[in-house]
Every structure is written in C-alpha cells, then in structure tokens.
C-alpha cells in the first residue's frame, strides 16, 4: 500500500485509465477540427482543446512515471511482480503514448499557424486521415487497457494479436492515403502550395506511425513474457 492505503495496482490502473481517456479524446477532436476548418467555421477553440488535452497527457504521464519509478519492492508486492520486472518497458510504452498526443497537438498548431488552402478533393483527404486515426487510437486504447490489466494480475494471460494487426493495417491504409494525397496535390495546378499539403500529410503519417510504435513496444514485452501473445503466426 502507498499514500493513504491505496494500492499501487489501484493507482496504476486509475492513472492509466485517465491517461488513455485523455489521449483518445485528443485524437477524436481532429476530425472536428478539420471539419470546422474546411467549412470556414471557427476552429481555433477546438485547436485549443487539443492543446489543453495534450498538457493533461503530460501530467498523467508524469504521475505514472513517478508512481513506478519511486515504488519500493514492498509497495509493489508479490501480486504485482509483473510490474516490477517490466517497469523500464512500461515507462517506455507510456512515453510513446505521450508522443501520440504530442503529434496531435502539432497538427492543430500547424493548422492554426499555416492555414493551408481548402482545395478539394485533396483537402478532404486530411479528414479521412483524421478519421482513420480515431479508429486506430480506439483500438490502441483497448491494447493498453489489456496490458495494464495483465500487469496487475499474477496469473492471467491474453492475446492481442488481432488488435495489433488491426493497427498495422490502418497504418498501411494511411500510407496509401498520404501518398495519393501528395501525388494529387502536386499534379493539380489549382494547388499553388503543394508542399504544405505534403507537410500536413507527413504529420498524419507520424501520428499513426507513433501508434504502431506503441504496439511494437507491446510486442517487445511479449517476446520475454508468456502471459501475453502479441503476434500470431500469420503476422510472421
């Protein structure tokens, strides 16, 4: 037990739930941001919401890092041996999660600062990329929630192969959308600043790539632990 008799397990799960909720909310604001911008509506309030949520993510990550870094063996206890043995990998995973929110904030800030031209059908591809990102982050939330549950158990095991495969598939789909967007923008004479479109497309590429990096960290943990299966044989 630590701080007021609340167990490390309870605090770890509670902090993680808050952290994930904030990250998911942050990413789910991106479609609204681009919808508002494409219609010519006031989008700055949504951009500010994303900035605020990213700051909340930083705070949640600090709480979790402090919790795991400062806990003693006695506070962790035998039930949470998995947390103790994998704490460096867990901290790395949460750092990668934080980068997801960081990229979302960068996208919002770039939109406010640069204000790219709204030329269709090219600009509409950003909205589709944002929607794919929301699908991916919802799956990612399930992955991290499961990892947290398993870390707090001493005998439970599960597989996450399907979820990780889904995120990898979405990342590949976003690569195709990005390439089509960039190619179309450079071919269309109506787009006088195609480099701006390429830059925004690369931001979205980084966003989903970062989610895939989180799953790679899960695969790393699974490579040394038998209580989680992150890759089925079909994944190669």
């Amino acid at each position: 037990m630590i701080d007021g008799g609340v167990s490390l397990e309870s605090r770890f799960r509670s902090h993680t739930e808050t952290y994930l909720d904030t990250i998911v909310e942050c990413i789910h604001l991106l479609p609204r941001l681009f919808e508002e911008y494409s219609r010519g509506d006031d989008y700055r309030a949504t951009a500010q919401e994303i900035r605020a949520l990213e700051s909340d993510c930083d705070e949640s990550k600090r709480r979790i890092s402090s919790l795991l870094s400062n806990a003693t063996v006695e506070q962790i206890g035998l039930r949470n041996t998995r947390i103790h043995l994998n704490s460096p990998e867990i901290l790395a995973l949460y750092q990668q999660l934080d980068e997801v929110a960081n990229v979302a904030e960068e996208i919002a800030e770039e939109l406010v600062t640069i204000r790219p031209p709204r030329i269709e059908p090219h600009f509409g591809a950003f909205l589709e990329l944002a929607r794919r990102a929301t699908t991916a982050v919802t799956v990612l939330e399930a992955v991290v929630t499961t990892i947290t549950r398993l870390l707090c158990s001493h005998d439970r095991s599960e597989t996450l192969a399907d979820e990780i495969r889904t995120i990898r598939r979405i990342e590949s789909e976003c690569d195709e959308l990005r390439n089509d967007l960039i190619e179309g923008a450079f071919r269309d004479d109506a787009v006088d600043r195609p480099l701006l479109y390429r830059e925004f497309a690369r931001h979205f590429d980084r966003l989903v790539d970062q989610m895939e990096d989180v799953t790679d960290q899960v695969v790393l943990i699974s490579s040394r632990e038998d209580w989680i299966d992150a890759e089925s044989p079909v994944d190669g």
Side-chain angles (χ1 to χ4, degrees):
M1 297 287 181
I2 55 179
D3 289 358
V6 180
S7 69
L8 179 140
E9 173 186 335
S10 296
R11 293 186 68 191
F12 178 53
R13 295 182 72 161
S14 175
H15 290 339
T16 298
E17 181 179 354
T18 299
Y19 192 29
L20 290 173
D21 285 347
T22 308
I23 291 173
V24 170
E25 185 178 359
C26 185
I27 304 305
H28 275 250
L29 283 174
L30 287 175
R32 189 176 90 187
L33 177 70
F34 277 82
E35 286 172 351
E36 291 170 344
Y37 183 83
S38 66
R39 293 194 303 262
D41 296 340
D42 182 11
Y43 60 95
R44 293 175 183 271
T46 301
Q48 183 56 43
E49 283 186 63
I50 292 173
R51 293 191 194 100
L53 287 167
E54 193 280 330
S55 295
D56 291 343
C57 287
D58 287 342
E59 183 59 31
S60 291
K61 187 197 70 175
R62 282 192 289 269
R63 288 196 193 99
I64 295 168
S65 296
S66 176
L67 179 69
L68 297 183
S69 300
N70 297 329
T72 65
V73 174
E74 290 77 14
Q75 289 170 339
I76 293 173
L78 293 176
R79 278 184 54 84
N80 296 314
T81 301
R82 291 176 177 178
I83 295 177
H84 176 63
L85 294 176
N86 293 282
S87 58
E89 290 78 14
I90 299 168
L91 290 173
L93 185 149
Y94 281 77
Q95 177 59 46
Q96 289 168 339
L97 273 174
D98 190 57
E99 290 301 318
V100 174
N102 287 345
V103 177
E105 182 188 31
E106 288 178 19
I107 291 172
E109 289 182 342
E110 290 285 296
L111 191 69
V112 171
T113 302
I114 297 175
R115 291 177 291 177
R118 308 172 184 88
I119 301 174
E120 298 298 348
H122 316 295
F123 191 83
F126 291 121
L127 179 56
E128 181 57 30
L129 284 167
R131 288 170 175 160
R132 298 290 177 97
T134 63
T135 301
V137 80
T138 299
V139 179
L140 187 66
E141 179 185 25
V143 168
V144 179
T145 297
T146 300
I147 281 286
T148 304
R149 182 168 61 246
L150 292 174
L151 285 166
C152 293
S153 171
H154 66 283
D155 58 1
R156 188 168 184 167
S157 62
E158 293 188 42
T159 179
L160 286 167
D162 288 345
E163 290 84 351
I164 289 175
R165 191 158 49 244
T166 296
I167 292 172
R168 289 174 174 171
R169 174 179 56 76
I170 295 172
E171 193 276 334
S172 295
E173 293 171 354
C174 287
D175 282 347
E176 293 181 11
L177 284 168
R178 175 206 63 202
N179 292 339
D180 290 345
L181 189 164
I182 293 172
E183 182 179 355
F186 273 90
R187 284 184 176 180
D188 191 344
D189 292 338
V191 181
D192 60 348
R193 293 188 292 172
L195 289 175
L196 289 183
Y197 276 48
R198 184 175 69 181
E199 192 62 28
F200 269 94
R202 287 178 172 175
H203 280 310
F204 275 103
D205 188 45
R206 285 178 53 223
L207 179 64
V208 184
D209 278 351
Q210 193 60 53
M211 296 185 203
E212 188 177 30
D213 287 347
V214 176
T215 67
D216 289 342
Q217 185 67 22
V218 174
V219 171
L220 177 63
I221 295 173
S222 74
S223 69
R224 50 180 281 184
E225 299 288 353
D226 60 6
W227 43 266
I228 178 171
D229 175 21
E231 287 193 302
S232 62
V234 296
D235 292 320

